[in-house]
Amino acid sequence: MLLCGRGIVWAVGVIALVCGMPRPVGAGTASQEMDSVETKEQVLREVSQMSTGNLGTICMSEPFYRFAWAPLQVSRFDSARQKADLLVRILRDLDDLSDTSLVERMVQGLLASDGRISAARVLLRETASSAPGRMRLVLTHRLVSPYTPTEPTPQVVTTTPKASVVSSKPWYIGESETSRNATRFQKHNISGSIGWWTFPYFQCKSRRWLLSYAVPILTQTTSNRGRRTTMRDVGMLSVDVDVTSLDINQCDRKSDKATPDSQISYFHGTHKCDRNSSVCVFSPGHGWVQGGYKCKCKTEYFPKDKTFNGSLVEVAWEGKQVKNPTYEMLYVCRSCPKDCPNCTSDKPCVAHYNWPFRIALLTISSLCMVFTFVLMGMVYHYRSVKVFRLASPTFLCICLIGCAIMYLEMAAIFPKLDMYSCVATKWTRHLGFCVTFSSLLMKTWRVSLTYRVTSAHKIKLTDKQLLQWLTPILLIVLVYLGAWTLSATPGTDVITDYGGLKFKQCTYDWWDHSLAMGEVLFLMWGVKVCFSVRKAESFFDEAKYISWAVYNIAVVNIVMVSFHLLILPKAGPDIKYLLGFLRTQLSTSTTVLLIFGPKFYRIVQGTGDQYDNRARAKGVTASFSLNGLGVMNDEPADLSQENEELKEEIQKLAAQMEFMKIVHMEMNNRHLKPKPGGYFSEKNSVMNTAQSPGAKTVHPPTTKTSEASNENSSARLSPAAELASERV
């Protein structure tokens, strides 16, 4: 009879597996196919139907519905297991287990204190010849916790002969299942455990989910005159634990966290949230039902913080299988635009970068930077020409190096700003300004010193001395920028433009403000120096062009700061890049044109070695530097050019001596008649005599008669004197 029952159970299990139905407890070991998502979802649908009251034909044939592959974590019920094991050990020592009153008191005393246990039963094995091996139900005790006095009084139910067969119950342990190879129960390697836990099952009458712990009652018998001891199975104890309050968790398993005891972890990963755009968030308190979760959109998707009810998602998922678009339209989050992780719509939130426009501006700046290096080569090539030699080629090259560094700022702010580009921006902007501005002011300051000297002592400042003043200035800036980069590395801030679009901008803190104040003071000092030399005479008017360049740098920086902070504080990235380009071109390129344009113009005209008319009128040469005129460098003079200048000076002195000689020789020769309209005519005689270097000393005007005689005598100068005067 027992074999027949097993065959029926095995056949039912095979049919359930083929038809896709849950398999009963006696169907064998669960395979990998049973643990698949499809199988779990099928079991989950059955569980949800029973929990919601949609039983159908499930409870018509049997009062229980069992699941052979939905194990629970029974470690949470260790207290109930330990009490049941203790009760079984006590029952083993009793002589008469049929005393129901004694068994009831023991069950009530040991098990009622555990609120998780809802019922307990004791079964004894029949020894009569009419039904050998069958279990007889001695009592069924519905436990009442001493903390819940409102429950009904427990009843002791004694079995009748018709109800003596209980092998179909989910908590029944057959005679051959007292070993650890039992397949109808969950296998748990629990230390000290002498029984087995069943798989969860549904009790149709009470509509509750239960989990039973069954323990065989074994007694020790001695036979063959005490030489052989055997264990005899005389009955079993079964306790029911109510697990209806547990919640099914369909969300993905978190590897870093253990599943709480109040959740059923078997159905992990069966949620229907869109895995690409949303995450599953478990909702406690729903019980054994499907859809006890919420789908929340990820940070890169919108609507932001939107959640979808899991029950509705499950229904829409079923419709998706029959080509219903509801799931895709309502329960799938939309991807945010690029670089907008916290978007609320599909509108872009990041400012657009006009890359062709930025590339064009960067190309122009790069060509300007290359042009500065070409100018450095040309300055070195024409270093012996006066227009460059007197302007200190060393400082001209330093100025061009500073201009090239300032052009590099356009490459630093070209891409989308990050920490590295911001560091490069700070270095190129401030270091380039310091190098260019310092080299120009050193030359202007030298002119200012020589121009303000009132004594006959000549001041001579060579390029080497000026470099000794320039080096500490550059060293201070380098130390400041290095400390800034290492201690408080410049980063980026996210700002918005007038359209609400975000983009990154380099941060501005007290490091920026301190350096900006220093540059403003340095610029003010430069303007003061340039203003003080506005009337100074210099070779090729270089001081004037340097002053114009300094004024231009001051005005351009003030205007651009006003645009950035006051006029267009929320301009987009392309507008800010354009403003940076204009600032670089108006300050740097204009400086290059003002300083080097006139010099190369003279080279093209072939007048690079010729002074202007004012310097020539004052008799200034390359070998002699007068106060307020020109600058001196420490390069050796060109001897051939200096010889030509000396010859020119000698010729001028010879002409003046010849003029004075002729004037004194012909002054008293009255027989010489002056040329009409000539230099010694009567009309100009008085003026010429007064201008003559020796006229006043030779013929001092004492009386009117002498003045008239002097006029008549001077009027009769020979034409040779007039010719000499014209040579001068």
Side-chain angles (χ1 to χ4, degrees), residues 268-279:
H268 272 315
T270 58
H271 65 89
K272 303 304 183 299
C273 298
D274 184 63
R275 300 181 183 273
N276 295 327
S277 62
S278 59
V279 294

Side-chain angles (χ1 to χ4, degrees), residues 14 78 81 103 119 160 167 195 203 207 215 217 229 283 341 374 404 411 443 456 491 510 537 552 562 638 677 717 724:
V14 172
D78 278 347
R81 176 187 61 80
V103 173
T160 61
S167 60
Q203 192 177 49
R207 293 190 177 184
V215 188
I217 302 175
T229 302
S283 298
V374 174
K443 297 175 57 162
W510 68 271
E537 297 287 346
N552 175 74
S562 301
D638 191 349
L717 290 178

